[in-house]
Amino acid sequence: MKTTREKPTINREVPVIVITGFLGSGKTTLINYILSHRNGRKVAVFVNEFGEISIDGQLLINLEDDMVQLNNGCICCTLNDRLADTIVEVLQRNPHIDYLLIETTGIADPLPIIMTFGGTELRNLTRLDAIFTLVDADTFSPDLLANSEAALNQIAWGDLILLNKIDLVAPEKYDRIQKQIRQLKPDARIMTSEYGEVPLASIWGIEYSHPDFGEQPDHDHHSEHLANDGFVAVSFSSDRPLSVEKFQTFLSDRLPTNVFRAKGLIWYQGNNSSHLFQLSGKRYQLTPNYPRGEPPNQLVFIGRDLNRETLTQDLQQCLHEIPNHEPRPIMDR
């Protein structure tokens, strides 16, 4: 017999902020900034992959069904095909949440998520407050919008366009980017930031009006635009350490130009700690002293029309050579 799910006991619509933007634009950095400046607000964050977000190194208290309670009182959940059900579940457990933050993937069209809040039971429990679109000012180009339906729609649906990493561009390029964005969205509200730091007044309580989308979206739309854009995610894992010299040579000489984003935990030979590796375009950074996973090296490369076999072989060549040791490369997706 089918049971009826009890609605959470709340007497208001919980405001929702959707944060979108292309690969490497700084969505995670912005979320970290928001959480560290929330002024006592109780926030639930929904992210595409929990491993991608580092909430300022805070320890996790509890993990259950992809739901994590953070030390600061916030909640972090993973996005999946059950977004509406997951949000209802979170509100049932935590009826006093002040805000929901939804992070889309870097290669996602935000429209299906936006429509979820207008076409499901969430329309009576939540209020879509604002859609923030982050743009990497350093790597932005018209070619990106011409070649990616997702990047185009991220700007088209944005209530506020945040030109992030503005410290990396000259005034001439900034003016050019503004002009290009306004050609697509003439009424765009454009702000700038460094490291995702924005005035708090632009975060809370904006209450933009959005159309009534009616029925819940067809979830196949997400898969369709990924196929149209040609994006591929290639994962690599190994229990052998990397050679510093070989990996640096790979990044400078052999990294495919069609890789937009990479991330993961890596372990160098001769170093006892793991490093958080983040790459956006040709820029990358390493953050030391992260807990070592199992296996120690876990990397994901995201790009358009990537050659899985070649990329995996190149990464295999970056491993430190250990006599009579059989590697364990793993490739999926």
Side-chain angles (χ1 to χ4, degrees):
M1 182 176 66
K2 184 177 180 180
T3 59
T4 302
R5 180 175 53 198
E6 181 181 354
K7 296 285 197 309
T9 305
I10 55 176
N11 56 8
R12 59 191 168 81
E13 295 177 332
V14 180
V16 177
I17 296 174
V18 175
I19 297 175
T20 188
F22 201 67
L23 298 164
S25 57
K27 297 184 296 296
T28 298
T29 302
L30 174 62
I31 290 176
N32 286 336
Y33 182 79
I34 292 173
L35 291 183
S36 62
H37 294 79
R38 59 193 174 86
N39 295 331
R41 295 177 177 87
K42 191 168 185 179
V43 178
V45 182
F46 294 79
V47 296
N48 37 297
E49 294 177 350
F50 181 75
E52 184 177 351
I53 185 169
S54 171
I55 314 296
D56 294 332
Q58 298 173 85
L59 298 176
L60 307 181
I61 296 176
N62 181 50
L63 174 61
E64 180 182 356
D65 297 328
D66 294 329
M67 190 177 300
V68 179
Q69 180 74 42
L70 304 175
N71 274 347
N72 66 3
C74 296
I75 298 163
C76 192
C77 304
T78 55
L79 268 179
N80 53 43
D81 293 335
R82 295 179 57 253
L83 175 60
D85 291 338
T86 304
I87 290 177
V88 171
E89 181 182 354
V90 169
L91 293 176
Q92 284 175 331
R93 298 187 188 184
N94 306 271
H96 301 296
I97 286 175
D98 297 309
Y99 266 89
L100 302 178
L101 298 182
I102 313 292
E103 179 199 357
T104 73
T105 69
I107 52 178
D109 183 339
L111 181 57
I113 288 180
I114 295 169
M115 291 175 67
T116 297
F117 290 95
T120 68
E121 61 189 301
L122 292 179
R123 67 187 304 157
N124 300 317
L125 303 175
T126 62
R127 180 187 73 245
L128 186 56
D129 227 15
I131 302 161
F132 280 22
T133 300
L134 275 75
V135 173
D136 186 334
D138 186 39
T139 62
F140 177 83
S141 73
D143 290 343
L144 175 62
L145 302 183
N147 296 326
S148 173
E149 178 186 350
L152 185 71
N153 288 341
Q154 287 166 359
I155 292 178
W157 284 105
D159 294 315
L160 186 148
I161 312 299
L162 186 63
L163 296 184
N164 195 26
K165 309 179 188 179
I166 197 65
D167 52 310
L168 301 178
V169 302
E172 296 80 11
K173 183 173 183 180
Y174 166 69
D175 293 339
R176 187 167 63 251
I177 294 173
Q178 275 210 89
K179 182 178 179 180
Q180 291 162 348
I181 290 176
R182 292 196 186 282
Q183 287 176 344
L184 172 65
K185 191 177 177 70
D187 59 345
R189 181 185 176 193
I190 300 176
M191 295 180 61
T192 62
S193 69
E194 300 178 18
Y195 302 101
E197 298 181 3
V198 297
L200 269 296
S202 67
I203 299 293
W204 311 116
I206 293 179
E207 297 189 34
Y208 282 103
S209 61
H210 296 94
D212 186 345
F213 292 105
E215 295 301 319
Q216 189 171 1
D218 180 358
H219 291 287
D220 289 341
H221 176 78
H222 178 72
S223 299
E224 288 176 2
H225 91 76
L226 290 183
N228 292 338
D229 285 356
F231 285 106
V232 175
V234 177
S235 298
F236 178 85
S237 179
S238 174
D239 60 358
R240 286 168 53 188
L242 291 168
S243 162
V244 174
E245 295 80 9
K246 292 180 179 179
F247 191 59
Q248 289 179 338
T249 299
F250 163 75
L251 293 176
S252 61
D253 298 339
R254 296 190 59 80
L255 181 69
T257 57
N258 49 345
V259 168
F260 289 92
R261 185 80 163 92
K263 59 189 176 182
L265 288 174
I266 60 175
W267 171 40
Y268 285 128
Q269 171 64 19
N271 191 310
N272 291 326
S273 68
S274 289
H275 294 68
L276 175 65
F277 173 74
Q278 299 265 19
L279 179 142
S280 178
K282 286 293 185 181
R283 298 192 313 271
Y284 70 89
Q285 63 181 23
L286 293 172
T287 305
N289 301 321
Y290 265 70
R292 187 178 300 172
E294 179 60 42
N297 289 310
Q298 302 176 72
L299 289 165
V300 177
F301 290 80
I302 304 171
R304 182 179 283 114
D305 302 319
L306 297 179
N307 187 312
R308 297 173 182 270
E309 183 177 356
T310 300
L311 181 55
T312 303
Q313 289 175 351
D314 286 343
L315 289 168
Q316 186 72 40
Q317 294 300 315
C318 295
L319 297 174
H320 178 69
E321 295 183 5
I322 301 177
N324 300 322
H325 183 95
E326 290 297 326
R328 295 190 307 173
I330 302 173
M331 183 177 65
D332 60 20
R333 288 190 290 180

Short mmCIF file of all heavy atoms in Angstrom, two decimals, residues 276-308:
data_model
loop_
_atom_site.label_atom_id
_atom_site.label_comp_id
_atom_site.label_asym_id
_atom_site.label_seq_id
_atom_site.Cartn_x
_atom_site.Cartn_y
_atom_site.Cartn_z
N LEU A 276 45.29 18.48 -2.33
CA LEU A 276 44.08 18.73 -3.10
C LEU A 276 44.50 19.44 -4.38
O LEU A 276 45.10 20.52 -4.35
CB LEU A 276 43.11 19.61 -2.31
CG LEU A 276 41.84 20.04 -3.07
CD1 LEU A 276 40.97 18.83 -3.37
CD2 LEU A 276 41.07 21.08 -2.27
N PHE A 277 44.19 18.83 -5.52
CA PHE A 277 44.57 19.36 -6.83
C PHE A 277 43.35 19.96 -7.50
O PHE A 277 42.31 19.32 -7.62
CB PHE A 277 45.15 18.23 -7.69
CG PHE A 277 45.42 18.61 -9.12
CD1 PHE A 277 46.50 19.42 -9.45
CD2 PHE A 277 44.59 18.15 -10.14
CE1 PHE A 277 46.75 19.76 -10.77
CE2 PHE A 277 44.84 18.48 -11.47
CZ PHE A 277 45.92 19.29 -11.78
N GLN A 278 43.45 21.23 -7.95
CA GLN A 278 42.36 21.91 -8.64
C GLN A 278 42.93 22.56 -9.88
O GLN A 278 43.91 23.30 -9.80
CB GLN A 278 41.76 23.00 -7.74
CG GLN A 278 41.17 22.48 -6.44
CD GLN A 278 39.68 22.22 -6.55
OE1 GLN A 278 39.14 22.09 -7.63
NE2 GLN A 278 39.02 22.15 -5.41
N LEU A 279 42.33 22.30 -11.04
CA LEU A 279 42.77 22.88 -12.29
C LEU A 279 41.58 23.50 -13.00
O LEU A 279 40.52 22.90 -13.10
CB LEU A 279 43.43 21.82 -13.18
CG LEU A 279 43.92 22.28 -14.56
CD1 LEU A 279 45.25 21.61 -14.92
CD2 LEU A 279 42.87 21.99 -15.65
N SER A 280 41.78 24.73 -13.49
CA SER A 280 40.78 25.42 -14.29
C SER A 280 41.50 26.03 -15.48
O SER A 280 42.34 26.92 -15.32
CB SER A 280 40.08 26.51 -13.47
OG SER A 280 39.16 27.22 -14.27
N GLY A 281 41.18 25.55 -16.68
CA GLY A 281 41.94 25.99 -17.85
C GLY A 281 43.37 25.50 -17.73
O GLY A 281 43.64 24.32 -17.54
N LYS A 282 44.31 26.44 -17.81
CA LYS A 282 45.72 26.10 -17.64
C LYS A 282 46.24 26.41 -16.23
O LYS A 282 47.39 26.14 -15.92
CB LYS A 282 46.57 26.87 -18.67
CG LYS A 282 46.43 26.33 -20.09
CD LYS A 282 47.03 24.94 -20.21
CE LYS A 282 47.02 24.43 -21.63
NZ LYS A 282 47.59 23.07 -21.74
N ARG A 283 45.39 27.02 -15.41
CA ARG A 283 45.80 27.36 -14.05
C ARG A 283 45.51 26.18 -13.12
O ARG A 283 44.46 25.56 -13.21
CB ARG A 283 45.06 28.59 -13.54
CG ARG A 283 45.30 29.87 -14.31
CD ARG A 283 44.75 31.05 -13.53
NE ARG A 283 43.41 30.79 -13.03
CZ ARG A 283 42.31 31.06 -13.70
NH1 ARG A 283 42.38 31.58 -14.91
NH2 ARG A 283 41.12 30.81 -13.18
N TYR A 284 46.44 25.93 -12.22
CA TYR A 284 46.17 24.89 -11.22
C TYR A 284 46.79 25.28 -9.89
O TYR A 284 47.71 26.11 -9.83
CB TYR A 284 46.69 23.52 -11.68
CG TYR A 284 48.19 23.37 -11.72
CD1 TYR A 284 48.90 22.93 -10.61
CD2 TYR A 284 48.90 23.66 -12.88
CE1 TYR A 284 50.28 22.78 -10.65
CE2 TYR A 284 50.28 23.52 -12.94
CZ TYR A 284 50.96 23.07 -11.81
OH TYR A 284 52.33 22.94 -11.86
N GLN A 285 46.28 24.70 -8.83
CA GLN A 285 46.83 24.94 -7.51
C GLN A 285 46.79 23.65 -6.70
O GLN A 285 45.95 22.77 -6.93
CB GLN A 285 46.06 26.05 -6.78
CG GLN A 285 44.60 25.72 -6.52
CD GLN A 285 43.87 26.85 -5.83
OE1 GLN A 285 44.27 28.01 -5.90
NE2 GLN A 285 42.79 26.53 -5.13
N LEU A 286 47.69 23.58 -5.73
CA LEU A 286 47.78 22.44 -4.84
C LEU A 286 47.63 22.92 -3.40
O LEU A 286 48.30 23.86 -2.99
CB LEU A 286 49.12 21.72 -5.01
CG LEU A 286 49.38 21.02 -6.34
CD1 LEU A 286 50.82 20.54 -6.40
CD2 LEU A 286 48.43 19.85 -6.52
N THR A 287 46.75 22.26 -2.65
CA THR A 287 46.58 22.56 -1.24
C THR A 287 47.05 21.35 -0.45
O THR A 287 46.48 20.27 -0.59
CB THR A 287 45.11 22.87 -0.90
OG1 THR A 287 44.65 23.92 -1.75
CG2 THR A 287 44.97 23.29 0.54
N PRO A 288 48.12 21.48 0.37
CA PRO A 288 48.70 20.31 1.04
C PRO A 288 47.91 19.88 2.27
O PRO A 288 46.96 20.54 2.69
CB PRO A 288 50.10 20.81 1.43
CG PRO A 288 49.91 22.28 1.64
CD PRO A 288 48.87 22.72 0.64
N ASN A 289 48.34 18.73 2.79
CA ASN A 289 47.88 18.21 4.08
C ASN A 289 46.40 17.84 4.10
O ASN A 289 45.68 18.10 5.05
CB ASN A 289 48.17 19.22 5.21
CG ASN A 289 49.64 19.53 5.33
OD1 ASN A 289 50.48 18.66 5.18
ND2 ASN A 289 49.96 20.80 5.55
N TYR A 290 45.95 17.22 3.02
CA TYR A 290 44.60 16.66 2.99
C TYR A 290 44.68 15.18 3.38
O TYR A 290 45.65 14.50 3.06
CB TYR A 290 43.97 16.80 1.62
CG TYR A 290 43.12 18.03 1.49
CD1 TYR A 290 43.70 19.30 1.47
CD2 TYR A 290 41.74 17.94 1.44
CE1 TYR A 290 42.92 20.43 1.37
CE2 TYR A 290 40.94 19.07 1.34
CZ TYR A 290 41.55 20.31 1.31
OH TYR A 290 40.77 21.42 1.22
N PRO A 291 43.65 14.65 4.06
CA PRO A 291 43.66 13.23 4.41
C PRO A 291 43.78 12.36 3.17
O PRO A 291 43.14 12.63 2.16
CB PRO A 291 42.30 13.02 5.10
CG PRO A 291 41.89 14.39 5.55
CD PRO A 291 42.44 15.33 4.53
N ARG A 292 44.61 11.37 3.24
CA ARG A 292 44.82 10.50 2.09
C ARG A 292 43.66 9.52 1.95
O ARG A 292 43.22 8.91 2.90
CB ARG A 292 46.13 9.72 2.28
CG ARG A 292 46.52 8.91 1.06
CD ARG A 292 47.85 8.21 1.29
NE ARG A 292 48.91 9.18 1.56
CZ ARG A 292 50.13 8.85 1.95
NH1 ARG A 292 50.44 7.59 2.13
NH2 ARG A 292 51.05 9.77 2.17
N GLY A 293 43.15 9.43 0.74
CA GLY A 293 42.04 8.53 0.47
C GLY A 293 42.55 7.13 0.13
O GLY A 293 43.70 6.80 0.32
N GLU A 294 41.66 6.33 -0.39
CA GLU A 294 42.02 4.97 -0.80
C GLU A 294 41.42 4.69 -2.16
O GLU A 294 40.20 4.63 -2.29
CB GLU A 294 41.50 3.96 0.22
CG GLU A 294 41.80 2.52 -0.13
CD GLU A 294 43.30 2.25 -0.23
OE1 GLU A 294 44.06 2.76 0.60
OE2 GLU A 294 43.69 1.54 -1.17
N PRO A 295 42.19 4.53 -3.20
CA PRO A 295 43.65 4.63 -3.22
C PRO A 295 44.12 6.08 -3.12
O PRO A 295 43.32 7.00 -3.26
CB PRO A 295 44.02 4.02 -4.58
CG PRO A 295 42.81 4.26 -5.42
CD PRO A 295 41.63 4.16 -4.50
N PRO A 296 45.43 6.28 -2.90
CA PRO A 296 45.92 7.65 -2.62
C PRO A 296 45.69 8.65 -3.74
O PRO A 296 45.42 9.81 -3.47
CB PRO A 296 47.42 7.44 -2.38
CG PRO A 296 47.53 6.02 -1.94
CD PRO A 296 46.47 5.28 -2.70
N ASN A 297 45.84 8.25 -5.01
CA ASN A 297 45.65 9.18 -6.12
C ASN A 297 44.28 8.99 -6.75
O ASN A 297 43.96 7.90 -7.23
CB ASN A 297 46.74 8.96 -7.19
CG ASN A 297 48.08 9.44 -6.73
OD1 ASN A 297 48.22 10.55 -6.25
ND2 ASN A 297 49.10 8.59 -6.86
N GLN A 298 43.49 10.05 -6.75
CA GLN A 298 42.16 10.02 -7.36
C GLN A 298 41.96 11.34 -8.10
O GLN A 298 41.93 12.40 -7.49
CB GLN A 298 41.08 9.85 -6.30
CG GLN A 298 41.24 8.59 -5.45
CD GLN A 298 40.22 8.51 -4.35
OE1 GLN A 298 39.04 8.28 -4.62
NE2 GLN A 298 40.63 8.72 -3.12
N LEU A 299 41.83 11.26 -9.42
CA LEU A 299 41.72 12.45 -10.26
C LEU A 299 40.54 12.32 -11.20
O LEU A 299 40.23 11.21 -11.66
CB LEU A 299 43.00 12.65 -11.08
CG LEU A 299 44.26 13.09 -10.32
CD1 LEU A 299 45.50 12.87 -11.18
CD2 LEU A 299 44.14 14.55 -9.93
N VAL A 300 39.91 13.46 -11.49
CA VAL A 300 38.85 13.52 -12.49
C VAL A 300 39.16 14.67 -13.43
O VAL A 300 39.42 15.79 -12.98
CB VAL A 300 37.46 13.73 -11.85
CG1 VAL A 300 36.39 13.85 -12.93
CG2 VAL A 300 37.12 12.59 -10.91
N PHE A 301 39.15 14.40 -14.75
CA PHE A 301 39.36 15.41 -15.77
C PHE A 301 38.07 15.57 -16.56
O PHE A 301 37.48 14.57 -17.01
CB PHE A 301 40.50 15.00 -16.71
CG PHE A 301 41.86 15.06 -16.06
CD1 PHE A 301 42.29 14.03 -15.24
CD2 PHE A 301 42.70 16.15 -16.26
CE1 PHE A 301 43.53 14.08 -14.62
CE2 PHE A 301 43.93 16.21 -15.65
CZ PHE A 301 44.35 15.18 -14.83
N ILE A 302 37.62 16.81 -16.73
CA ILE A 302 36.38 17.10 -17.42
C ILE A 302 36.69 17.96 -18.64
O ILE A 302 37.36 18.99 -18.52
CB ILE A 302 35.38 17.83 -16.50
CG1 ILE A 302 35.12 17.00 -15.24
CG2 ILE A 302 34.07 18.09 -17.23
CD1 ILE A 302 34.33 17.74 -14.18
N GLY A 303 36.23 17.53 -19.79
CA GLY A 303 36.50 18.29 -21.00
C GLY A 303 35.60 17.86 -22.13
O GLY A 303 34.70 17.03 -21.96
N ARG A 304 35.86 18.41 -23.28
CA ARG A 304 35.04 18.11 -24.45
C ARG A 304 35.77 17.12 -25.35
O ARG A 304 36.92 17.33 -25.71
CB ARG A 304 34.72 19.40 -25.21
CG ARG A 304 33.83 19.19 -26.42
CD ARG A 304 33.51 20.49 -27.12
NE ARG A 304 32.50 21.27 -26.41
CZ ARG A 304 32.75 22.45 -25.85
NH1 ARG A 304 33.95 22.98 -25.91
NH2 ARG A 304 31.79 23.10 -25.23
N ASP A 305 35.10 16.01 -25.70
CA ASP A 305 35.64 15.01 -26.63
C ASP A 305 37.01 14.50 -26.20
O ASP A 305 37.93 14.38 -27.01
CB ASP A 305 35.70 15.61 -28.05
CG ASP A 305 34.35 16.07 -28.54
OD1 ASP A 305 33.36 15.36 -28.28
OD2 ASP A 305 34.28 17.15 -29.17
N LEU A 306 37.16 14.18 -24.93
CA LEU A 306 38.44 13.69 -24.43
C LEU A 306 38.68 12.26 -24.90
O LEU A 306 37.76 11.45 -24.99
CB LEU A 306 38.47 13.74 -22.90
CG LEU A 306 38.38 15.11 -22.24
CD1 LEU A 306 38.41 14.97 -20.72
CD2 LEU A 306 39.52 16.01 -22.71
N ASN A 307 39.94 11.95 -25.18
CA ASN A 307 40.35 10.59 -25.51
C ASN A 307 40.71 9.89 -24.20
O ASN A 307 41.77 10.13 -23.62
CB ASN A 307 41.55 10.62 -26.45
CG ASN A 307 41.91 9.23 -26.96
OD1 ASN A 307 42.02 8.28 -26.18
ND2 ASN A 307 42.12 9.10 -28.26
N ARG A 308 39.82 9.03 -23.73
CA ARG A 308 40.00 8.39 -22.43
C ARG A 308 41.30 7.58 -22.37
O ARG A 308 42.06 7.66 -21.40
CB ARG A 308 38.83 7.47 -22.12
CG ARG A 308 37.49 8.15 -22.00
CD ARG A 308 36.38 7.11 -21.87
NE ARG A 308 35.07 7.73 -21.80
CZ ARG A 308 34.47 8.09 -20.68
NH1 ARG A 308 35.08 7.89 -19.53
NH2 ARG A 308 33.26 8.63 -20.71
#
